């Protein structure tokens, strides 16, 4: 049943992609490897997060959020600022009959203002550099909650900068591993919310990218 839902979701993504550009992957085999299997790479980290809601930020075509929601059964919010994408996501969720999944249209900072410290896990795939993801996730997460970052290539500089902000953002590195996916590889970097950040979060909308810490 779960496998059928994963395949049906990919079918819907490929279909939607014919009229709206929601992914650069257009073939079934590529989609199964680089979307579905890739999304499920972070499942062990999600299982280590406390019980509670998960939010997938910058969800796009619903990866990794929808596969993780299907496999884990967690209450999940798919968040994206592009209305065209969230309309497609909402339609997919309805078609798949996923009662544990909701969709949010808006900026991540606005979600953090509306639902502070409401999530046990935040996932983000190929969205931004680690320090920005830490800043986005910190006000969304409850204490002990996990940020699960799906990354490809992380420079030493990006990693060092992220580690230098751990105390300021109350986000501590807890795990870092690499998984081979065909000819590609996926790096899963996970941070835990440790308490109250030393900077008022969220900052003004857009500041995380325009004026990174």
């Amino acid at each position: 049943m779960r496998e059928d839902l994963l395949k049906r979701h990919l079918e819907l993504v490929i279909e939607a992609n014919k009229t709206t550009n929601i992914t650069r992957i257009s073939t079934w085999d590529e989609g199964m490897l680089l979307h579905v299997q890739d999304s499920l790479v972070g499942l062990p980290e999600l299982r280590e997060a406390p019980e509670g809601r998960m939010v997938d930020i910058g969800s796009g075509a619903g990866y990794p959020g929808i596969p993780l929601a299907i496999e884990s059964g967690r209450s999940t919010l798919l968040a994206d600022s592009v209305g065209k994408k969230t309309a497609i996501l909402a339609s997919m969720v309805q078609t798949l009959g996923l009662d544990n999944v909701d969709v949010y249209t808006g900026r991540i900072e606005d979600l953090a203002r509306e639902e502070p410290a409401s999530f046990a896990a935040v996932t983000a795939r190929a969205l931004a550099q680690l320090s920005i993801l830490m800043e986005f996730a910190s006000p969304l997460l409850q204490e002990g909650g996990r940020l699960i970052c799906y990354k490809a290539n992380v420079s030493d500089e990006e990693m060092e900068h992220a580690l230098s902000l751990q105390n300021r953002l109350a986000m501590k590195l807890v795990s870092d591993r690499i998984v081979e996916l065909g000819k590609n590889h996926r790096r899963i970097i996970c941070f835990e919310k440790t308490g109250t950040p030393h900077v008022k979060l969220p900052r003004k909308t857009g500041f995380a990218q325009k004026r990174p810490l």
Side-chain angles (χ1 to χ4, degrees), residues 46 51-56 65 68-69 72-78 99-102 118-121:
L46 181 60
E51 285 183 18
R53 290 168 77 208
M54 170 183 95
V55 58
D56 183 30
L68 290 175
S72 70
R74 268 186 199 256
S75 176
T76 299
L77 185 64
L78 308 174
D99 326 344
N100 60 323
V101 181
D102 291 302
S118 296
F119 297 93

Side-chain angles (χ1 to χ4, degrees), residues 107-131:
R107 299 294 293 264
I108 301 162
E109 297 95 333
D110 292 330
L111 177 61
R113 289 182 195 103
E114 290 163 33
E115 300 197 51
S118 296
F119 297 93
V122 172
T123 55
R125 189 174 82 140
L127 184 64
Q129 63 183 40
L130 288 170
S131 58

Side-chain angles (χ1 to χ4, degrees), residues 8-24:
R8 182 74 184 111
H9 174 218
L10 180 57
E11 283 172 7
L12 294 171
V13 168
I14 290 171
E15 191 57 38
N17 208 45
K18 290 174 183 171
T19 51
T20 309
N21 183 25
I22 54 170
T23 174
R24 60 181 176 74

